[in-house]
Amino acid sequence: MTPFKLTDELLAEIEQLIEEQQDSRLLSILEDVHYADVAEIANEIEEDQATYLIKLLDSDKTSDVLTELDDDVREAILKNLSSKEIAEELEELDTDDAADIVAELPKEIVQQVISEIEDRDHAEAIVDLLRYEENSAGGLMAKELVKVNENWNVLTCVKEMRTQAENVTRVHSIYVVDDQDILKGRLSLKDLLTTSTTAPIKDVYIPKVDSVNVNEKPEEVARIMSKYDLEAIPVVDEIGRLVGRITIDDIVDVIKEEAEKDYQLAAGISQDVEADDSILDLTRARLPWLFLGLIGGVGAAAIMGGFEEMISKHAILFFFTPLIAAMAGNVGVQSSAIIVQGLANDDLKGSISNRLVKEILLATLNGLVLALVLLFFTWFWKGNFPTALAISISLIAVIVVAGIIGTFTPLFLHKRGIDPAIATGPFITTSNDIFGILIYFWIAKLILGI
Amino acid sequence: MTPFKLTDELLAEIEQLIEEQQDSRLLSILEDVHYADVAEIANEIEEDQATYLIKLLDSDKTSDVLTELDDDVREAILKNLSSKEIAEELEELDTDDAADIVAELPKEIVQQVISEIEDRDHAEAIVDLLRYEENSAGGLMAKELVKVNENWNVLTCVKEMRTQAENVTRVHSIYVVDDQDILKGRLSLKDLLTTSTTAPIKDVYIPKVDSVNVNEKPEEVARIMSKYDLEAIPVVDEIGRLVGRITIDDIVDVIKEEAEKDYQLAAGISQDVEADDSILDLTRARLPWLFLGLIGGVGAAAIMGGFEEMISKHAILFFFTPLIAAMAGNVGVQSSAIIVQGLANDDLKGSISNRLVKEILLATLNGLVLALVLLFFTWFWKGNFPTALAISISLIAVIVVAGIIGTFTPLFLHKRGIDPAIATGPFITTSNDIFGILIYFWIAKLILGI
């Protein structure tokens, strides 16, 4: 496979062909292009050109293209499609993707679109899925799955399965339910390939099957599926009835989105933005954190203003404030990032007090090494040992306090049900800047006795 | 399913049962525990206790446990197993997992272990896999797959498949090859369920199949599989022969590791460490970046020392150095993080000069807003308009320069083949601290005319 690469030339050619309405040329170029790549093209061209493409191509391809588009491009295209055209796209999609698109439609056309869907079972499944909260297993799952009744025999089962499998892109597991639809176990396709066709289902199914509750958080579903290497997991309601199935491709998206969100939070970007978004969107994502930094900096300046009388005798103290602030920030981010990752991977063991002792030891060790280097540098530079000593001792104190704040802020947020990842970004840097500088001047004043 | 939760009580009970060698009690407790959870238990107890558990349990379970263990725990346990015992574990594993374990074994026992593997085909496949570089598609793939010859008919095919499927945990796709083992296409299991059994393979297979080259980087394999929603992808060698298969569960691990690495780099942690690692390991991961920060801070101090003559008339300039450093750092991290993500997702479009113009506009906009706030605060606080103006104008300049450095450092590193993610951490913060303070004092001096 030579991977598809969207070149400027290809893009220009497609744009021109659209302008000239050369439909057959367009169709022959795009025939062998994967829907994810068509989406990449549609994201790059003008909205009306993208709409033209969508209307031109077959709906079994364009429906998948729609699911891969950037949100704003999809919204613009859907606006230009009739209810009937949208319904045709939905018809081709798995119920989870269809429900996601319906959820984005303007309220006033939803009913019209749903009524245009010819396959009423499909429409019903989509409407069912709309009931579930987006940020839950129910919001992720699809209705498509293959299930058999434990009271059937293998012959009926295989016949039923063939019909059901028509609607299911990837079969993975065959779920076994009882007469009340309660999930009882599973059959693997492989078992079916290797088992005699005359056995009753009751005797051949595996009574153990992992499942998640419909209200489970997506991150928890992702954790379970990746821990247990599952490629699909059935979703059950409060009384254990099989209501849907989540597949690994959706979970890959959850994992990637989680990681991006954490990374962006750590970098001080508060919204999901990309490099190619507008300057206004980027500003909206970045400015709030910079404001926080500004407030922190102003706070630090105010603190230093309070120690102004020291400036005539110990100007050098003021030269090291960026160093102190940087160290407090770096140590804080390091310790909080480790805790945030531990929380995400669920591998934090042991008591809080042990963690406290450990972080203090660690910070003291790091602080000692760094302070020693700084001591010799400052002493050598300015020849004033007491000041150099004061700066170095303050540095140790600042690092220890920063480490403690960095460790406990995410733990505290996590306990309060707040995403601890926000603690790794400018939030921790800013508060540590202020605390750091306050501690620094306070200890220096104490040691130098001013 | 009630998810397994490793409690302190359970851990204590297991430790006691091991001490008392109550094998049957242990076996009955662990019988229904998933291997991933057994690994969690083994990670928490003493090494000799973990070894005891591994020797006690069946090798079809313990082999999977081994793959899930922390590296150091696995190494310790393998040291206590004989070559024959290790070979028995390898026998139960898929070839990719087995090869990973063999690659970690001390060189002097590898040959002995391999020779103890009874299934010679399995041993051969493992040895084959050892040839591939760890950080490549070849290093990720397994030899287990189901393949059929295009010249067979469906009857032969189904018979052959049944034999092959015995060794393959998840079938996914049936790959079609020619007499030279060149990958030609695929058959889906579903097609097989729904197709007549008398057709010749040549007529029913799908001649289009995504594949990756054996030398492809894991991140690129991950990108392809997640973009095209693939659950397995065949791996071909330089002349197109089918040599292995990568499944989505391995890719989930690659994605998670990539994300963790980027996150840790952004947080200034240079090695893969966890909160529960030793203080020494944690220090080794954290101290280098703190040293970098120390050097940056010392550099900033030296720069400020060069502007010492300003301190008597404009002490307030020195109060704002932590603010300037923080803003330079924050803006730098924000802009580099967006570029790093764009590079990772391969969605950076347009020319470098456009990007430059955009970042300058963005930084100027953000800078103006922030500088205006700062101007009024400083003016109000100290009543000195020229100084307030000098500080604010410097802030804009610092933000613009920081934005440019943050944008171009990752682009430059990426071009030179270096992971751009290292540009988001203390590296960018430190260099921006220094540049920021230099620019700040230089512009302030220019405006205030000292």
Side-chain angles (χ1 to χ4, degrees):
Chain A
M1 183 186 73
T2 36
F4 174 84
K5 189 82 201 161
L6 182 52
T7 60
D8 289 345
E9 293 76 48
L10 178 61
L11 213 52
E13 186 184 355
I14 289 172
E15 284 175 324
Q16 202 190 339
L17 291 174
I18 293 175
E19 287 314 309
E20 297 169 359
Q21 309 204 355
Q22 298 221 33
D23 293 356
S24 56
R25 271 293 286 143
L26 275 170
L27 283 172
S28 81
I29 287 180
L30 294 174
E31 190 183 2
D32 285 331
V33 178
H34 190 279
Y35 63 78
D37 298 316
V38 176
E40 217 177 298
I41 295 170
N43 281 335
E44 291 304 310
I45 59 184
E46 297 294 324
E47 282 166 13
D48 49 342
Q49 293 184 324
T51 310
Y52 186 88
L53 269 195
I54 296 290
K55 290 196 179 193
L56 178 67
L57 296 171
D58 255 5
S59 66
D60 66 333
K61 186 167 205 163
T62 55
S63 57
D64 288 322
V65 173
L66 282 177
T67 65
E68 301 281 334
L69 286 174
D70 286 349
D71 292 358
D72 46 339
V73 179
R74 178 170 51 239
E75 198 189 321
I77 292 177
L78 289 175
K79 248 186 214 147
N80 292 318
L81 298 185
S82 69
S83 295
K84 185 154 183 58
E85 284 169 323
I86 298 176
E88 279 166 13
E89 304 284 357
L90 297 180
E91 202 107 31
E92 298 289 340
L93 286 174
D94 279 353
T95 48
D96 54 342
D97 295 325
D100 288 345
I101 289 187
V102 172
E104 283 177 20
L105 291 174
K107 278 209 174 58
E108 56 277 17
I109 70 162
V110 168
Q111 201 163 349
Q112 178 67 22
V113 168
I114 298 275
S115 72
E116 299 270 12
I117 297 175
E118 278 175 24
D119 178 347
R120 294 322 289 165
D121 289 345
H122 195 62
E124 199 179 288
I126 295 172
V127 171
D128 279 355
L129 288 180
L130 291 176
R131 298 288 158 270
Y132 297 99
E133 214 223 315
E134 196 191 333
N135 193 32
S136 72
L140 270 183
M141 72 185 183
K143 285 284 182 179
E144 284 82 4
L145 49 81
V146 178
K147 68 176 177 188
V148 297
N149 191 302
E150 58 169 351
N151 298 316
W152 295 346
N153 60 38
V154 171
L155 222 66
T156 331
C157 168
V158 169
K159 226 179 77 190
E160 277 286 333
M161 269 176 48
R162 283 187 183 227
T163 331
Q164 294 183 25
E166 292 284 333
N167 298 312
V168 180
T169 320
R170 286 150 182 166
V171 173
H172 292 291
S173 275
I174 300 130
Y175 301 117
V176 180
V177 296
D178 67 11
D179 290 336
Q180 273 73 49
D181 240 10
I182 305 278
L183 179 66
K184 305 291 282 186
R186 66 188 163 89
L187 285 168
S188 77
L189 260 186
K190 207 182 101 186
D191 292 337
L192 228 77
L193 268 175
T194 48
T195 308
S196 133
T197 48
T198 52
I201 296 294
K202 257 201 174 114
D203 294 353
V204 295
Y205 83 80
I206 307 150
K208 253 189 73 174
V209 58
D210 292 313
S211 66
V212 289
N213 185 281
V214 77
N215 300 311
E216 194 64 83
K217 289 265 160 251
E219 306 90 81
E220 179 62 13
V221 180
R223 198 187 65 79
I224 291 172
M225 289 185 72
S226 90
K227 176 173 181 184
Y228 298 124
D229 281 349
L230 306 174
E231 301 193 332
I233 197 164
V235 182
V236 296
D237 69 7
E238 287 78 356
I239 58 168
R241 280 179 306 190
L242 179 62
V243 290
R245 184 186 68 153
I246 296 173
T247 46
I248 189 75
D249 52 320
D250 296 317
I251 290 306
V252 168
D253 293 341
V254 169
I255 292 173
K256 287 174 81 171
E257 277 165 26
E258 272 299 296
E260 292 213 343
K261 209 183 64 189
D262 284 2
Y263 185 71
Q264 294 199 327
L265 281 174
I269 304 167
S270 59
Q271 282 177 33
D272 189 22
V273 285
E274 283 165 22
D276 290 323
D277 284 351
S278 73
I279 291 189
L280 208 71
D281 282 341
L282 286 166
T283 299
R284 217 176 290 141
R286 290 167 57 164
L287 200 54
W289 291 113
L290 294 179
F291 249 116
L292 190 65
L294 190 76
I295 293 171
V298 164
I303 291 173
M304 288 159 79
F307 290 93
E308 196 168 357
E309 81 274 15
M310 295 171 76
I311 213 165
S312 52
K313 271 183 78 178
H314 299 284
I316 189 177
L317 285 182
F318 289 82
F319 298 166
F320 284 102
T321 47
L323 183 145
I324 295 293
M327 294 313 253
N330 287 351
V331 169
V333 168
Q334 285 181 335
S335 17
S336 65
I338 286 183
I339 298 291
V340 167
Q341 272 196 340
L343 289 169
N345 295 335
D346 202 22
D347 59 9
L348 282 188
K349 305 275 152 50
S351 70
I352 300 251
S353 58
N354 281 348
R355 204 154 288 286
L356 180 69
V357 171
K358 186 171 180 181
E359 182 60 37
I360 291 178
L361 283 175
L362 180 66
T364 312
L365 180 65
N366 285 349
L368 269 174
V369 175
L370 296 165
L372 214 63
V373 176
L374 188 63
L375 177 70
F376 283 109
F377 171 81
T378 325
W379 189 13
F380 177 80
W381 186 31
K382 290 283 169 183
N384 183 336
F385 186 74
T387 318
L389 190 68
I391 293 174
S392 300
I393 290 177
S394 310
L395 179 66
I396 299 176
V398 166
I399 287 179
V400 170
V401 173
I404 294 173
I405 295 177
T407 304
F408 284 93
T409 312
L411 287 174
F412 172 78
L413 292 176
H414 181 69
K415 251 205 176 126
R416 302 294 299 260
I418 303 169
D419 183 354
I422 66 162
T424 49
F427 186 72
I428 212 98
T429 333
T430 305
S431 52
N432 277 4
D433 274 12
I434 298 185
F435 278 116
I437 286 177
L438 189 62
I439 293 168
Y440 168 70
F441 277 102
W442 187 70
I443 292 188
K445 192 171 178 170
L446 217 71
I447 293 178
L448 298 172
I450 330 161
Chain B
M1 183 186 72
T2 36
F4 174 85
K5 189 83 201 159
L6 181 53
T7 59
D8 290 344
E9 293 77 47
L10 178 60
L11 213 51
E13 186 185 355
I14 288 173
E15 285 175 323
Q16 203 190 338
L17 290 174
I18 292 174
E19 287 314 309
E20 297 168 0
Q21 310 205 352
Q22 298 221 34
D23 293 355
S24 57
R25 270 293 284 141
L26 276 170
L27 283 172
S28 81
I29 287 180
L30 296 174
E31 190 183 2
D32 286 330
V33 177
H34 191 279
Y35 63 78
D37 297 316
V38 176
E40 218 177 299
I41 295 172
N43 281 334
E44 290 304 309
I45 59 183
E46 298 293 324
E47 282 166 14
D48 49 342
Q49 293 184 324
T51 311
Y52 186 89
L53 268 196
I54 296 291
K55 291 196 178 194
L56 177 67
L57 295 172
D58 255 4
S59 66
D60 66 334
K61 187 168 205 162
T62 54
S63 57
D64 288 322
V65 173
L66 282 177
T67 65
E68 300 281 333
L69 285 175
D70 287 349
D71 293 358
D72 46 339
V73 179
R74 179 170 50 241
E75 198 190 321
I77 291 177
L78 288 175
K79 249 186 213 148
N80 292 317
L81 297 185
S82 70
S83 295
K84 187 157 182 54
E85 283 168 323
I86 298 176
E88 278 165 14
E89 304 285 357
L90 297 180
E91 202 108 33
E92 298 288 340
L93 285 175
D94 279 354
T95 47
D96 55 340
D97 295 325
D100 288 345
I101 288 187
V102 172
E104 283 177 21
L105 290 175
K107 280 208 173 58
E108 57 275 17
I109 69 163
V110 167
Q111 201 164 348
Q112 178 67 21
V113 169
I114 298 276
S115 72
E116 298 270 11
I117 297 176
E118 278 174 26
D119 178 347
R120 293 322 289 165
D121 289 344
H122 195 62
E124 198 181 290
I126 294 172
V127 171
D128 279 354
L129 288 179
L130 291 176
R131 298 289 158 269
Y132 297 100
E133 212 223 315
E134 196 191 334
N135 194 32
S136 72
L140 269 183
M141 72 186 185
K143 285 284 181 179
E144 284 82 3
L145 50 80
V146 178
K147 68 175 177 189
V148 297
N149 191 303
E150 59 170 350
N151 298 316
W152 295 347
N153 61 35
V154 172
L155 221 67
T156 330
C157 167
V158 169
K159 227 179 75 190
E160 276 287 332
M161 270 175 48
R162 281 186 185 229
T163 332
Q164 294 182 24
E166 293 282 334
N167 298 314
V168 181
T169 321
R170 287 151 181 165
V171 174
H172 291 292
S173 275
I174 299 130
Y175 301 118
V176 180
V177 295
D178 67 11
D179 290 336
Q180 274 72 48
D181 239 13
I182 306 278
L183 180 65
K184 306 291 283 185
R186 67 189 161 88
L187 285 168
S188 78
L189 260 187
K190 208 182 101 185
D191 292 337
L192 228 77
L193 268 176
T194 49
T195 309
S196 134
T197 48
T198 53
I201 296 295
K202 257 202 174 113
D203 294 353
V204 294
Y205 83 81
I206 307 152
K208 253 189 74 173
V209 57
D210 292 314
S211 65
V212 289
N213 185 281
V214 78
N215 299 312
E216 194 63 86
K217 288 266 159 251
E219 306 90 79
E220 180 61 14
V221 180
R223 199 188 64 79
I224 292 171
M225 290 185 73
S226 92
K227 177 171 180 185
Y228 298 124
D229 280 348
L230 306 175
E231 300 194 333
I233 196 164
V235 182
V236 296
D237 68 8
E238 287 79 353
I239 57 168
R241 279 179 307 190
L242 178 62
V243 290
R245 185 186 68 155
I246 296 172
T247 47
I248 188 77
D249 52 321
D250 295 316
I251 290 305
V252 168
D253 293 340
V254 169
I255 292 173
K256 288 173 81 171
E257 277 163 28
E258 270 301 295
E260 292 214 342
K261 208 183 64 188
D262 284 1
Y263 185 72
Q264 293 199 327
L265 280 175
I269 302 167
S270 59
Q271 285 178 28
D272 188 22
V273 285
E274 284 166 21
D276 289 323
D277 284 351
S278 74
I279 290 189
L280 208 70
D281 283 340
L282 286 166
T283 299
R284 216 175 291 142
R286 289 166 58 163
L287 200 54
W289 291 112
L290 294 180
F291 249 116
L292 190 65
L294 190 76
I295 292 170
V298 164
I303 291 172
M304 288 160 79
F307 290 92
E308 196 168 357
E309 81 274 15
M310 297 171 76
I311 212 164
S312 53
K313 272 181 78 179
H314 299 283
I316 189 177
L317 284 182
F318 289 82
F319 298 167
F320 282 103
T321 48
L323 183 145
I324 294 294
M327 294 314 252
N330 286 352
V331 169
V333 168
Q334 285 181 336
S335 16
S336 64
I338 286 183
I339 298 292
V340 168
Q341 270 195 343
L343 289 170
N345 295 335
D346 201 22
D347 60 9
L348 281 189
K349 304 275 152 50
S351 70
I352 300 251
S353 58
N354 280 347
R355 204 154 288 287
L356 179 69
V357 171
K358 186 170 180 183
E359 182 60 36
I360 291 178
L361 284 174
L362 180 66
T364 312
L365 180 66
N366 285 349
L368 269 175
V369 176
L370 295 165
L372 214 64
V373 176
L374 187 64
L375 176 70
F376 283 108
F377 170 80
T378 325
W379 187 15
F380 176 81
W381 186 31
K382 290 284 168 182
N384 182 339
F385 186 75
T387 318
L389 190 68
I391 293 173
S392 299
I393 290 177
S394 312
L395 179 65
I396 299 176
V398 166
I399 287 179
V400 171
V401 173
I404 294 173
I405 295 178
T407 303
F408 285 93
T409 312
L411 287 175
F412 173 77
L413 292 176
H414 181 67
K415 255 213 174 118
R416 304 294 300 260
I418 304 169
D419 183 355
I422 67 162
T424 50
F427 186 72
I428 211 96
T429 333
T430 304
S431 52
N432 277 3
D433 273 13
I434 298 185
F435 278 116
I437 286 177
L438 189 62
I439 293 167
Y440 169 71
F441 276 102
W442 187 70
I443 292 187
K445 192 170 178 173
L446 217 72
I447 294 178
L448 297 173
I450 329 158

